[in-house]
């Protein structure tokens, strides 16, 4: 098996797209925003976050509970351990980010709504909000760092190692005539 299944690829690339959108939301919260603008941002942020969390639970199920097959690549033991550690760390942060996000939302002074209709909070507490927001931001920064490392590793596999690792998650099928 040289490539992930279509369902793994779909979950991976949907996660990547939603993660990129969340990065824009992460930088989009300005201190001088009006409460109305901030509420709109929070609705979008929490809704995308909920979608990401749902995809994450499916990914965790496929990866750890169902143990769906994954491609094997010729790598050194060190490379394999580093890749496994980085992926586990990403999963940890992918769980921590929505958990801390929900907890943060729970203590926000503005109404934080999921898809504009499901209220996520009502326990306004400025001190707890600031504490969990700081933890949420640290988790986001950790996840961003790991994603950058992940992308860098993919580029290294393609340009330096010139192996087929990058192709295993490529969203389009491999053309047997031009696999380089």
């Amino acid at each position: 098996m040289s490539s992930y299944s279509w369902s793994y690829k779909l979950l991976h690339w949907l996660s990547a797209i939603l993660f990129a959108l969340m990065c824009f939301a992460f930088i989009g919260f300005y201190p001088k925003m009006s409460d109305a603008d901030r509420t709109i941002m929070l609705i979008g942020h929490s809704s995308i976050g909920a979608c990401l969390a749902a995809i994450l639970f499916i990914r965790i199920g496929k990866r750890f509970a169902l143990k769906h097959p994954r491609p094997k690549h010729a790598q050194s033991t060190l490379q394999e351990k580093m890749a496994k550690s980085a992926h586990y760390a990403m999963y940890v942060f992918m769980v921590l980010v929505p958990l801390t996000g929900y907890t943060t939302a729970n203590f926000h002074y503005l109404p934080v709504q999921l898809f504009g209709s499901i209220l996520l909070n009502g326990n306004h507490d400025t001190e707890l909000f600031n504490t969990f927001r700081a933890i949420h931001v640290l988790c986001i920064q950790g996840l961003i760092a790991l994603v950058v490392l992940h992308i860098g590793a993919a580029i290294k596999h393609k340009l330096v190692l010139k192996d087929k690792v990058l192709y295993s998650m490529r969203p389009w099928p491999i053309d047997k005539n031009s696999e380089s």
Side-chain angles (χ1 to χ4, degrees):
M1 174 178 181
S2 63
S3 183
Y4 285 92
S5 68
W6 68 269
S7 59
Y8 257 124
K9 291 178 183 181
L10 177 66
L11 292 169
H12 177 271
W13 290 106
L14 278 175
S15 297
I17 291 165
L18 292 174
F19 179 80
L21 286 173
M22 289 299 268
C23 286
F24 287 116
F26 181 63
I27 61 174
F29 286 106
Y30 294 108
K32 298 196 190 280
M33 284 180 116
S34 70
D35 281 355
D37 288 340
R38 189 172 302 278
T39 299
I40 291 169
M41 285 288 291
L42 287 170
I43 289 170
H45 185 73
S46 60
S47 300
I48 294 169
C51 291
L52 264 169
I55 290 170
L56 169 68
F57 289 124
I58 295 168
R59 288 180 72 170
I60 287 174
K62 287 179 71 64
R63 174 85 162 82
F64 299 106
L66 299 176
K67 298 184 187 276
H68 280 218
R70 297 176 314 124
K72 299 286 184 209
H73 301 288
Q75 298 183 81
S76 71
T77 305
L78 178 62
Q79 274 183 315
E80 195 171 310
K81 285 181 181 180
M82 287 172 53
K84 193 176 214 176
S85 296
H87 280 102
Y88 284 153
M90 282 195 340
Y91 275 106
V92 167
F93 278 103
M94 285 190 290
V95 168
L96 287 174
V97 167
L99 285 177
T100 59
Y102 172 75
T103 307
T104 302
N106 192 43
F107 298 111
H108 203 290
Y109 72 95
L110 291 174
V112 180
Q113 300 171 337
L114 191 61
F115 303 110
S117 59
I118 302 167
L119 190 65
L120 295 178
N121 64 341
N123 303 312
H124 173 62
D125 184 317
T126 303
E127 189 174 320
L128 286 173
F129 168 77
N130 288 331
T131 300
F132 283 108
R133 182 171 181 256
I135 295 168
H136 185 56
V137 168
L138 283 173
C139 290
I140 291 167
Q141 291 169 337
L143 183 56
I144 289 171
L146 287 167
V147 167
V148 168
L149 180 70
H150 182 69
I151 293 167
I155 292 168
K156 179 182 178 188
H157 277 283
K158 174 65 177 167
L159 301 178
V160 177
L161 300 176
K162 298 183 192 282
D163 58 19
K164 303 296 182 205
V165 170
L166 184 62
Y167 293 118
S168 65
M169 194 52 80
R170 185 168 67 177
W172 58 89
I174 296 172
D175 179 7
K176 299 291 182 190
N177 298 325
S178 61
E179 280 195 10
S180 54

